[in-house]
DNA sequence: GCAAAAGTGTTCCCTTTACACCCATGT
DNA sequence: ACATGGGTGTAAAGGGAACACTTTTGC
């Protein structure tokens, strides 16, 4: 290791970028903000910002998350003072290619946040400069589920919510798949992949749900994130039979129509054993 | 996002640290180097160094790995020019607490490398300033396998290699578990945990083996990394029955004693499906 | 012959899967 | 009545754990 001479190492800017995922209208969505400056002015980007002098990395990520969404994140590795309101936050990966930002050398520590469906994004003052975008749109995921059949089970093509939302689809600049700024498409893809694999063996899928939820709602989270259709009967048996995954909350709800469903809260277990199995292909 | 004013963000030093793991004498070991300067002068630390101005993060990690071990790493995400000789290299996590280095603000992007057993570490010139240390020693892992029974299945207590090695055990300064410099114990623990879980569902365990190896040698890798004893018969059936995991290399060897064993090479598969199951408790 | 490591066959059991069937509500 | 989603029962198929048994070397 070379000696630590303050003039012997190149200075870097360090930022945190956030992949904030949620499930809206049966589709996996991520929070993007419109860039106001060059480069990539007008393009969508992941929210993020500089790490401050006195701040650790997860602290910076939690601060950005609050600023962008109002969510108080729960980072299992963070010290107690951070209040939790259900959102999950974890470090994803770090991106530092020399040319990833044309202006200077920037190393970005990306974080992954999972949140329940929120009313509407509140950007820094400007309302239409932030939106929840389906990841399928941003990544051009024709391969989201492999086959066309799975496409009928979920997403914009399904029967449940094709009505457009104000400010949602018609997003101005680009037509077709929207290209994210910088290397943010790569970061988003890595975050989505992490979420997809992590709900297999952990109870993290509950982070997409409100505090109380039904088995059916949890199943629809898995279906949206994985892009598959799951057998409701076997899913019910599986999740209720895994100790510590779900605890009954007492009430029932009929908000999905049909027979009233039991309400559950997330149990204490974080690791699922045996794991949920993601269908092949 | 605030505007990019070069004077508006605090400058950071960015380093890469390496968790280089290997299996020696049936124990999981990591490469540590003796620090020559303050702070932590004389203490063991993970190898690492500054990221250069024109270098990306995986490039810096690969360079450090060559400098410390002579290994040419294979990073699946890296561009072609990097030659592979069997070692595996991947990004682990990034550590950036404001006080992790008392002298300045340093963000370290830790990488995990898995290597076959090497003759001897070659530090930057100095021979006894680098060594392979059993992770058990560095982490005080009484909980390595949970029960005492598993301890008999492997490690220094086993029957196969209790003879001491020159320069190995008696390491000077500290008595008992050696405390690593900085937050390197945390980084090492994260790297070990990553390796332990990743060999479950990927073919990465072969990165600990020489180019040609037997099923028994591969099994001893799993036993050393997990700290458990595995049934040789079921293990054999499992790995030879997983398509793409192993391909016959043609010859046999008797270097382990007993009946000659078939030699294999790592197959093309990187993901194991179904995964290897780590015994509970 | 005996010890040691490599392989094969077989049995038991648990999980997953597929699907028939019943339950409780809204319209 | 009927559509919709919630929940239970059950039988077939697949994979893992445990272990008896055979094979091939060195001493």
């Amino acid at each position: 290791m070379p000696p630590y001479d303050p003039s012997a190492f190149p200075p870097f800017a360090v930022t945190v970028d956030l992949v904030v995922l949620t499930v809206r209208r049966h589709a996996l969505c991520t929070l993007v903000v419109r860039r106001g400056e060059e480069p990539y002015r007008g393009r969508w980007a992941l929210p993020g910002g500089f790490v401050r002098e006195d701040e650790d990395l997860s602290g910076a990520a939690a601060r950005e998350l609050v600023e962008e969404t109002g969510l108080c994140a729960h980072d299992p590795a963070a010290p107690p003072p951070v209040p939790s309101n259900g959102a999950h936050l974890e470090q994803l990966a770090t991106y530092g290619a020399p040319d990833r930002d044309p202006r200077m050398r920037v190393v970005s520590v990306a974080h992954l946040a999972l949140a329940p469906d929120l009313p509407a994004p509140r950007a820094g003052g400007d309302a239409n400069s932030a939106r929840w975008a389906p990841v399928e749109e941003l990544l051009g995921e024709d391969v989201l589920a492999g086959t066309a059949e799975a496409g009928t089970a979920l997403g914009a093509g399904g029967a449940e919510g094709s009505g457009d939302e104000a400010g949602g689809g018609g997003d101005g600049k680009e037509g077709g798949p929207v290209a994210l700024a910088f290397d943010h498409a790569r970061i988003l893809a890595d975050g989505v992949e992490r979420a997809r694999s992590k709900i297999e063996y952990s109870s993290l899928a509950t982070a997409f749900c409100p505090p109380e939820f039904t088995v059916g709602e949890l199943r629809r989270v898995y279906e949206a994130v994985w892009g598959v259709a799951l057998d409701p009967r076997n899913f019910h048996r599986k999740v209720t039979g895994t100790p510590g995954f779900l605890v009954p909350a007492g009430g029932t709800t009929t908000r999905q129509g049909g027979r009233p469903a039991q309400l559950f809260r997330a149990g204490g277990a974080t690791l699922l054993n045996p794991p949920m199995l993601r269908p092949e292909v």
Side-chain angles (χ1 to χ4, degrees), chain A residues 41-233:
Chain A
R41 177 194 288 268
R43 292 272 279 279
W44 295 104
L46 299 177
F50 290 105
V51 177
R52 296 183 181 160
E53 190 100 37
D54 57 344
E55 209 175 33
D56 69 8
L57 301 174
S58 64
R63 173 177 55 75
E64 291 289 339
L65 187 61
V66 173
E67 290 175 11
E68 304 282 353
T69 67
L71 280 169
C72 288
H74 169 63
D75 181 346
V82 183
S84 164
N85 86 350
H88 168 89
L89 181 63
E90 67 177 42
Q91 192 182 304
L92 176 58
T94 300
Y95 302 81
D99 58 350
R100 66 182 293 276
D101 189 312
R103 292 159 301 176
M104 69 183 92
R105 191 69 201 267
V106 179
V107 164
S108 177
V109 184
H111 285 69
L112 175 66
L114 308 185
D117 196 359
L118 299 172
R122 59 159 220 208
D126 193 350
N128 73 352
S129 70
R131 67 181 267 250
W132 293 106
V135 301
E136 195 178 359
E137 265 177 36
L138 299 174
L139 297 178
E141 288 196 306
D142 354 289
V143 282
L144 187 139
T147 69
E149 152 195 337
T152 64
L154 59 85
E160 74 293 78
S162 300
D164 205 3
E165 193 176 70
D171 84 284
K173 291 249 141 85
E174 283 76 16
V178 188
L180 289 176
F182 303 109
D183 52 1
H184 288 186
R186 160 92 277 139
I187 299 175
L188 174 60
D190 291 346
V192 168
E193 185 46 42
R194 169 85 63 96
R196 282 185 180 153
S197 58
K198 210 149 184 184
I199 64 174
E200 288 186 49
Y201 58 88
S202 79
S203 61
L204 261 180
T206 58
F208 286 115
C209 296
E212 300 199 346
F213 54 90
T214 69
V215 172
E217 288 162 351
L218 183 62
R219 176 171 48 80
R220 280 180 277 276
V221 164
Y222 274 91
E223 292 179 329
V225 175
W226 282 346
V228 297
L230 300 174
D231 186 303
R233 290 96 53 143

Side-chain angles (χ1 to χ4, degrees), chain A residues 251-270:
Chain A
T252 62
T253 182
T254 175
R255 59 181 170 236
Q256 302 293 335
R259 167 177 167 180
Q262 249 191 297
L263 284 169
F264 292 89
R265 260 189 279 274
T270 57

Side-chain angles (χ1 to χ4, degrees), chain A residues 3-84:
Chain A
Y4 274 68
D5 172 358
S7 66
F9 62 89
F12 288 71
V14 176
T15 62
V16 291
D17 285 327
L18 291 179
V19 177
V20 189
L21 297 180
T22 194
V23 175
R24 308 195 79 189
R25 294 145 74 229
H26 214 165
L28 184 64
C29 295
T30 191
L31 182 65
V32 288
V33 298
R34 181 98 69 177
R35 281 186 59 77
E37 319 92 37
E38 294 297 338
Y40 301 103
R41 177 194 288 268
R43 292 272 279 279
W44 295 104
L46 299 177
F50 290 105
V51 177
R52 296 183 181 160
E53 190 100 37
D54 57 344
E55 209 175 33
D56 69 8
L57 301 174
S58 64
R63 173 177 55 75
E64 291 289 339
L65 187 61
V66 173
E67 290 175 11
E68 304 282 353
T69 67
L71 280 169
C72 288
H74 169 63
D75 181 346
V82 183
S84 164

